[in-house]
Amino acid sequence: MPRERTHEITRLEGFSDAVFGFALTLLVVSLEVPRSYDELIGLMGGFLSFACCFALLIWIWHEHNVFFRRYGLQDPWTVFLNCVLLFVVLFYVYPLKFLTLHLAGQFRGDPATNMKDVDGRLVMLLYSAGVVLIFGVFVALHRHAWKKRAALGLDAADLMTLRYSTRGHAISTSLGLVSIAIVLVNRRWSGIAGMIYGLMGPLHAWNGYQAGKAHARLHPTAPPLPARPESNA
């Protein structure tokens, strides 16, 4: 498994964590304290959408944290890419929240979240553009780490992890591009453009499986020692 380089949390990482915390705050900042039972029930109805948004943002934060724990780059190009990522994350919160609220409402049969008056094509374009930008930046960060591999002193296992991590983010970026292409081909296919993200789990599982096999080839399990003959004494 790859080594995690231990170092003090830098100002860049601290600033990034603060931005991620603010992005999570934006998920609920517009919610008011319920003043009646009906308002409370309506508020609890948004729990599923909030949980989905929360999980996605935590996933992005985790990938960000793993990258900086492993490579700890602080050069100007890394800072620039990190700022682009944080900017997109803050903007991404709004279409993400809108989409999950309406999808959860449709699942509950809430008439207040009727999608008939919503331009699904525009919503999916905004959502998929956010996916492409966020994971495209992760691809760029990992490719930059590859260029710095000699200075970072990465061994064979580290390089293998870096290669498959880059491919994982490229998979997410590619799904976003496919979603955008589907919507642009036919605006009525916005539902299909959304369902394409259902492939993300299986594709990432496949990539993780391939990464595990590659690491196993690097460090094959040693054969068991032959049994010692019993003494006849």
Side-chain angles (χ1 to χ4, degrees):
M1 295 300 291
R3 298 167 295 165
E4 287 201 0
R5 289 153 180 78
T6 56
H7 59 264
E8 295 293 329
I9 295 177
T10 64
R11 294 187 65 186
L12 181 62
E13 292 175 88
F15 172 72
S16 301
D17 287 344
V19 173
F20 275 106
F22 182 66
L24 290 172
T25 303
L26 290 177
L27 292 177
V28 294
V29 71
S30 61
L31 298 180
E32 298 180 356
V33 177
R35 301 174 183 175
S36 66
Y37 177 76
D38 291 338
E39 290 183 0
L40 176 62
I41 295 301
L43 177 63
M44 295 306 297
F47 176 80
L48 179 60
S49 61
F50 171 76
C52 292
C53 294
F54 184 86
L56 284 171
L57 286 177
I58 289 298
W59 178 33
I60 296 169
W61 171 84
H62 172 72
E63 295 296 330
H64 179 277
N65 180 62
V66 167
F67 176 83
F68 280 95
R69 288 290 93 187
R70 284 178 179 167
Y71 310 113
L73 294 171
Q74 301 287 316
D75 57 279
W77 182 238
T78 302
V79 173
F80 171 75
L81 290 174
N82 186 68
C83 290
V84 172
L85 175 65
L86 298 179
F87 175 82
V88 177
V89 165
L90 287 175
F91 181 80
Y92 180 67
V93 168
Y94 294 104
L96 175 62
K97 183 177 179 180
F98 179 86
L99 182 61
T100 53
L101 278 172
H102 278 73
L103 290 177
Q106 292 289 297
F107 179 77
R108 300 193 315 268
D110 185 356
T113 58
N114 195 330
M115 295 287 284
K116 290 182 179 179
D117 297 328
V118 176
D119 187 349
R121 178 174 180 266
L122 179 59
V123 172
M124 283 310 307
L125 284 174
L126 287 173
Y127 179 84
S128 297
V131 171
V132 170
L133 288 172
I134 288 172
F135 291 102
V137 169
F138 275 124
V139 171
L141 284 169
H142 282 73
R143 288 179 65 85
H144 183 57
W146 180 267
K147 294 178 181 178
K148 297 281 187 179
R149 60 189 182 277
L152 292 171
L154 303 183
D155 60 20
D158 294 325
L159 293 176
M160 189 71 69
T161 297
L162 179 56
R163 184 179 297 115
Y164 280 94
S165 296
T166 306
R167 191 166 77 173
H169 293 305
I171 288 172
S172 299
T173 306
S174 299
L175 287 175
L177 291 172
V178 171
S179 178
I180 291 174
I182 291 174
V183 174
L184 292 178
V185 168
N186 191 328
R187 64 184 306 157
R188 296 180 181 178
W189 292 352
S190 57
I192 299 175
M195 288 188 291
I196 199 74
Y197 290 108
L199 297 174
M200 190 170 287
L203 288 175
H204 278 286
W206 170 79
N207 187 57
Y209 174 72
Q210 294 295 321
K213 289 178 60 178
H215 278 285
R217 287 194 296 269
L218 278 178
H219 304 288
T221 304
L225 295 175
R228 297 178 60 184
E230 295 182 2
S231 174
N232 294 324

